[in-house]
Amino acid sequence: MLHEVAAGSLDANLDEVGYRSHCHRWHYRYFFGAMQGIDRSTREVIVAPLVEAGRELIGAHRIRFDYLAIAIGSVTNDFGTEGAAEHCLFLDDRVQADRFRSRLLNQCLRVSRALEENPAADACVRVVIIGAGATGIELAAELYNSAAALKHYGLEAFDASRLKVTIIEAGPRILPALPEKLADAAKAELEALGTRVLTGVRVTRVSEVAVHTHTGESIAADLRVWAAGVRGAPLLKDIGGLETTPSCQLVVRPTLQVTRDDRIFALGDCCSCLLPGATRPVPPRAQAAHQMATRVYDNLRRLMDDRALVNYVYRDYGSLVSLSRYSTVGSLMGNLIGGRMAIEGRLARYVYRSLYRLHLISIHGWLRGMALVLVGHVNRIVRPRLKLH
Ligand SMILES: Cc1cc2nc3c(=O)[nH]c(=O)nc-3n(C[C@H](O)[C@H](O)[C@H](O)COP(=O)(O)OP(=O)(O)OC[C@H]3O[C@@H](n4cnc5c(N)ncnc54)[C@H](O)[C@@H]3O)c2cc1C
């Protein structure tokens, strides 16, 4: 839901998990810090120094392990495109989503001020999103939702028609994970909101003010967001002498153990898992990460008890894409419904919201999870719809 944080429609402060209290409640130990290496000879994780305003508060230190599960997620892949790293915003984590929100708001303030001074001014906020997967599409719709609400938050001269979003996708269509009919419905919805959707167009260069494409077009942009695929974090490259793919993901066996060490597991976006009979690795999705966590937990217990490990099986339950309050589209898959079922509208919205509720329940348990769902409902009534600064 980082796209909602980026657009200001979700206040991450209210939804984040406080690991210090969570670990007390669920009986695990939590260390704050970033892994920077692994010493397999001594079985230690090397944690990077904690630095604040250039001052080292805690030096690099080591944490011993008997078994290790690596689940550090992924980073956005800009495929080495010229200028992308310098001039694009990414939505890899909360800090980046907050940065996007702050810049978006500043641009909206600029336009609002220009319109107050001259109502006939040709001022607008131009956002270019590169990548029309779920992240790019959900972000575009959420931006229109926020833009429509801004006039109730002091930006009286601003309205959604002042937001110009362009989505650029290199592939032949948007939302490749969804059936074509649903992707077309999502495209039609976005175009009705005012989005320009370009497919089959490759970005060749990004500058401080524009995005350049292989067709020779340069699209002026106040904000540029790169959301075109993910790769492993660079720090994983050959970490501890483990096998990694060219895109820095740890190669794992079907048991989710890394190829070169029985005691180390990798799961989620940071691993590359090619299952027997499959032609492509398991996709970097939340449902895959969740299922892998269950398999790693069981296999860890088996390893400790000297029992045979079980292979991971990926079950694709489908995908859902939220177009904010405008629509939700998706396809559900599973034995229960006998294949793939396309869903849209209220039902899709309900399932989309339920997934997040189930996530809260798995993290906090039934009682606390349900209480948080209730608090969420109350907050929607009593708190502002948008988080600005
Ligand atoms: C905007 C957005 C929208 C998405 N929408 C969907 C969706 O609708 N459906 C779907 O299935 N998937 C979606 N995804 C993908 C989904 O979020 C990931 O597949 C899933 O979160 C992967 O889980 P993970 O546990 O592997 O990694 P993450 O959830 O990314 O967790 C990794 C954690 O490791 C921490 N970390 C990173 N580096 C280090 C380090 N060196 N040391 C210590 N900790 C570290 C990070 O801070 C983070 O907390 C979306 C992703 C984004 C960015």
Side-chain angles (χ1 to χ4, degrees):
M1 295 169 86
L2 279 175
H3 63 281
E4 292 190 23
V5 177
S9 47
L10 182 86
D11 185 346
N13 291 318
L14 299 177
D15 279 64
E16 68 190 356
V17 180
Y19 284 108
R20 291 198 189 284
S21 57
H22 190 265
C23 73
H24 176 69
R25 185 175 286 272
W26 293 96
H27 315 295
Y28 64 92
R29 293 167 77 200
Y30 171 73
F31 297 92
F32 177 71
M35 173 180 81
Q36 69 173 24
I38 300 167
D39 187 338
R40 280 165 62 209
S41 61
T42 56
R43 285 207 214 120
E44 287 172 324
V45 171
I46 304 159
V47 181
L50 181 64
V51 179
E52 193 185 76
R55 256 188 59 223
E56 192 174 288
L57 297 182
I58 304 173
H61 53 286
R62 290 169 171 245
I63 298 174
R64 264 194 54 75
F65 67 85
D66 292 318
Y67 304 95
L68 177 65
I70 305 174
I72 64 165
S74 55
V75 295
T76 301
N77 192 354
D78 65 13
F79 303 98
T81 308
E82 189 188 335
E86 297 85 352
H87 304 301
C88 283
L89 292 154
F90 301 90
L91 289 187
D92 285 338
D93 56 38
R94 159 94 188 273
V95 175
Q96 298 180 23
D98 282 338
R99 189 178 306 144
F100 178 89
R101 192 189 65 246
S102 159
R103 293 205 190 159
L104 173 71
L105 181 69
N106 289 343
Q107 289 293 335
C108 294
L109 280 169
R110 171 184 64 78
V111 169
S112 186
R113 178 59 56 86
L115 291 170
E116 277 162 30
E117 283 168 7
N118 174 15
D122 184 23
C124 55
V125 178
R126 298 158 303 179
V127 182
V128 172
I129 299 170
I130 299 129
T135 304
I137 296 296
E138 291 188 337
L139 176 66
E142 206 59 53
L143 290 177
Y144 282 101
N145 178 39
S146 298
L150 278 175
K151 60 172 170 287
H152 306 300
Y153 290 81
L155 281 73
E156 282 153 24
F158 192 88
D159 71 80
S161 68
R162 296 288 167 177
L163 179 70
K164 306 279 180 219
V165 179
T166 305
I167 298 178
I168 307 177
E169 166 61 46
R173 69 173 176 94
I174 70 164
L175 296 172
L178 289 190
E180 199 158 352
K181 193 171 143 262
L182 287 177
D184 288 346
K187 184 169 178 244
E189 190 76 57
L190 283 174
E191 285 176 339
L193 288 169
T195 314
R196 184 175 173 222
V197 182
L198 303 176
T199 50
V201 175
R202 212 166 19 84
V203 170
T204 49
R205 187 165 69 85
V206 182
S207 73
E208 218 175 348
V209 290
V211 176
H212 305 269
T213 70
H214 85 282
T215 56
E217 191 180 355
S218 81
I219 303 165
D222 303 306
L223 291 168
R224 299 148 300 275
V225 188
W226 193 281
V230 295
R231 66 198 298 267
L235 85 104
L236 286 181
K237 186 82 208 141
D238 302 324
I239 192 168
L242 299 177
E243 186 187 359
T244 49
T245 63
S247 62
C248 299
Q249 286 170 306
L250 288 159
V251 181
V252 293
R253 290 170 265 169
T255 54
L256 300 178
Q257 289 162 296
V258 297
T259 46
R260 293 181 189 154
D261 198 317
D262 282 352
R263 288 173 173 267
I264 301 180
F265 292 80
L267 62 154
D269 284 12
C270 72
C271 77
S272 173
C273 177
L274 186 65
L275 293 173
T279 49
R280 302 175 72 173
V282 175
R285 300 234 195 107
Q287 57 180 327
H290 182 88
Q291 293 166 19
M292 284 179 173
T294 309
R295 174 53 35 228
V296 169
Y297 168 74
D298 183 55
N299 274 349
L300 271 170
R301 298 192 70 132
R302 285 170 176 270
L303 198 58
M304 290 173 204
D305 298 345
D306 239 348
R307 286 185 289 143
L309 270 57
V310 174
N311 283 355
Y312 165 65
V313 179
Y314 173 54
R315 292 189 208 287
D316 185 351
Y317 290 108
S319 301
L320 286 162
V321 176
S322 161
L323 301 176
S324 189
R325 67 189 159 95
Y326 307 105
S327 177
T328 302
V329 294
S331 66
L332 297 185
M333 284 159 70
N335 297 337
L336 212 62
I337 51 174
R340 185 186 267 239
M341 182 177 85
I343 56 168
E344 253 185 281
R346 271 171 195 267
L347 176 64
R349 181 90 202 140
Y350 178 76
V351 180
Y352 185 89
R353 286 274 162 217
S354 302
L355 282 175
Y356 185 58
R357 287 174 195 143
L358 288 174
H359 177 65
L360 286 178
I361 289 166
S362 12
I363 290 179
H364 298 288
W366 272 100
L367 202 64
R368 221 176 150 80
M370 290 305 289
L372 283 166
V373 171
L374 267 177
V375 169
H377 280 301
V378 175
N379 277 336
R380 258 198 290 282
I381 299 166
V382 299
R383 292 189 66 89
R385 250 178 68 202
L386 286 186
K387 176 173 163 56
L388 300 178
H389 283 300

